Amino acid sequence: MTEVSITTAAALQKALERLLDGEPTCTDGELTVANLAREAGVSRATANRATAILARLRTERADRQPGTHSEIPATLRARVRQLESEIIAFKSTENKEIIELR
């Protein structure tokens, strides 16, 4: 069995990005091979030959299982990390001020 063509791989990659970004154009957005194929405009059999893209789809789907933080969009995770860093900085400053007051 051969891999897919460059054009097909590009279509599948774009479709996967849309699904991961939560911006599907013609499916419900669930991370499935069938939805990936529909989004890319190819058959499911063709999608199944794109092993590298399917591996990423399966990894992303596993990471987004309930109980993990992966269901939170990347932009929100980045914002949370930024705010956590700010909290640490404020606590550090506050602790220094308390020490100076003693």
Side-chain angles (χ1 to χ4, degrees), residues 34-68:
N35 282 350
L36 176 66
R38 279 189 207 104
E39 287 288 327
V42 300
S43 71
R44 185 165 180 205
T46 298
N48 279 322
R49 289 196 314 266
T51 55
I53 295 170
L54 287 183
R56 181 167 177 222
L57 171 79
R58 290 182 179 117
T59 300
E60 293 287 343
R61 186 173 52 206
D63 289 346
R64 293 171 186 235
Q65 292 299 315
T68 67

